[in-house]
Amino acid sequence: MFVSLFCTLKRVSSEVKKWRPAGADRGFTFLRYNLTIAYHRTNLLARYGRWSANADGGALESLGYREGFRVDIDVPEGTWAEAPAFHDILIFNTGHWWWAPSKFDPVKSPMLFFEKGEPIIPPIPPHVGLDMVLKHMVLFVEKRLQPGAIKFFRTQSPRHFEGGDWDQGGSCQRLQPLLPEQVEEIFSLKNNGTNVEARLVNEHLYKALKGSGFHILDITRMSEFRADAHPSTSGGKKHDDCMHWCLPGITDTWNDLLIEHLNNIKFRD
């Protein structure tokens, strides 16, 4: 979405300066319009890192944990913590890593959640941790947002692996968008398939954002049909890339939707 937005703006003005404000991973300022866009990379929104057992023992050690990933549910990751005080428009997203056993093996390297610097005992599963992180991060953003700033939460970008996950030989070789019945077959929660995390995460997002000041940028449903829009074998990876998107493509439409939302917000105000 960020790359698509940059390419669109670059067509309007080529006077661009690279800049990474407020801890951003990438950023650009369009000098003619004094417009800065930035991408702040974060996997879980909350701060996380490797955890190893202490030789002196502790609450987690007493339960048999030896290593894993510490996730501080009430501490934002440093890559974006300063962003709410800098940007006028923010678009948040999280999800894929919360259902990623290849990243956080539930046995070998589980997610271990901490609050106020202490481990949460008894340990909680990732879906409960996600709810708690979203609750804390929504409050964090709303307290630090600039006056008049607009905040969005983007729903999940669906994957289209068929025949297994990315590391199990899954592929995406379709040349046409899916039919409605094919979408339900692949993404239905009842089927509990490879790509089910998009709708699962969205359930948590909607619950966490209810009553907040966030606008929801819902890109999931329209994107579920586009099994034909991934790099697949052209992604330069050893496996089919059925998660990222080709450009030009569906992410351009996401930005069209964003602009429409912004126009509607401006009109209401």
Side-chain angles (χ1 to χ4, degrees):
M1 186 173 183
F2 176 80
V3 175
S4 167
L5 181 61
F6 171 76
C7 291
T8 300
L9 295 172
K10 189 76 161 36
R11 293 179 63 186
V12 177
S13 175
S14 59
E15 299 176 58
V16 183
K17 178 182 178 181
K18 289 185 178 180
W19 186 36
R20 297 190 295 175
D25 184 65
R26 284 179 283 175
F28 303 92
T29 295
F30 293 83
L31 301 175
R32 182 178 177 183
Y33 298 95
N34 191 28
L35 171 67
T36 296
I37 63 172
Y39 171 72
H40 298 258
R41 179 181 175 85
T42 175
N43 297 322
L44 304 177
L45 291 180
R47 183 179 68 189
Y48 79 99
R50 281 281 185 181
W51 176 89
S52 297
N54 191 313
D56 296 329
L60 290 172
E61 289 85 348
S62 68
L63 296 174
Y65 290 97
R66 293 293 173 261
E67 60 181 347
F69 284 89
R70 170 175 172 161
V71 182
D72 288 277
I73 65 168
D74 50 351
V75 182
E77 193 164 13
T79 54
W80 70 270
E82 301 301 321
F86 179 86
H87 297 293
D88 297 307
I89 301 171
L90 298 103
I91 306 169
F92 290 88
N93 169 249
T94 190
H96 286 304
W97 282 55
W98 288 92
W99 267 265
S102 61
K103 307 291 185 183
F104 305 108
D105 187 288
V107 176
K108 297 179 181 179
S109 54
M111 301 171 82
L112 302 170
F113 296 94
F114 284 65
E115 186 173 23
K116 296 180 180 179
E118 297 295 330
I120 296 176
I121 302 296
I124 56 176
H127 70 274
V128 177
L130 173 59
D131 287 337
M132 298 180 76
V133 165
L134 289 172
K135 175 184 175 181
H136 281 287
M137 296 306 112
V138 166
L139 292 174
F140 176 86
V141 171
E142 293 190 326
K143 287 180 180 178
R144 287 163 176 77
L145 205 66
Q146 290 196 83
I150 301 170
K151 52 191 180 297
F152 290 91
F153 217 109
R154 200 204 75 196
T155 61
Q156 283 306 286
S157 169
R159 309 180 309 153
H160 288 89
F161 287 99
E162 296 185 72
D165 212 330
W166 68 271
D167 56 349
Q168 300 168 341
S171 63
C172 45
Q173 301 292 322
R174 294 181 184 265
L175 302 179
Q176 298 292 330
L178 299 175
L179 298 173
E181 57 269 25
Q182 293 172 319
V183 168
E184 289 309 306
E185 180 182 347
I186 292 176
F187 293 104
S188 172
L189 296 180
K190 293 187 298 183
N191 293 340
N192 195 31
T194 301
N195 309 290
V196 74
E197 97 278 344
R199 293 189 181 183
L200 281 173
V201 171
N202 282 350
E203 287 187 346
H204 291 269
L205 291 181
Y206 279 105
K207 181 174 69 173
L209 298 175
K210 187 176 182 179
S212 75
F214 276 81
H215 300 276
I216 295 177
L217 187 64
D218 186 357
I219 56 86
T220 304
R221 180 60 176 171
M222 70 170 74
S223 305
E224 286 179 341
F225 288 87
R226 296 304 310 275
D228 60 317
H230 298 284
S232 186
T233 55
S234 302
K237 299 183 178 181
K238 295 180 180 179
H239 57 82
D240 274 22
D241 186 348
C242 308
M243 182 174 73
H244 300 97
W245 303 94
C246 295
L247 279 173
I250 188 69
T251 56
D252 298 319
T253 307
W254 298 357
N255 282 314
D256 290 340
L257 182 63
L258 170 64
I259 298 304
E260 186 64 23
H261 272 292
L262 291 173
N263 285 335
N264 288 337
I265 292 169
K266 181 179 179 181
F267 180 77
R268 288 200 302 268
D269 293 343

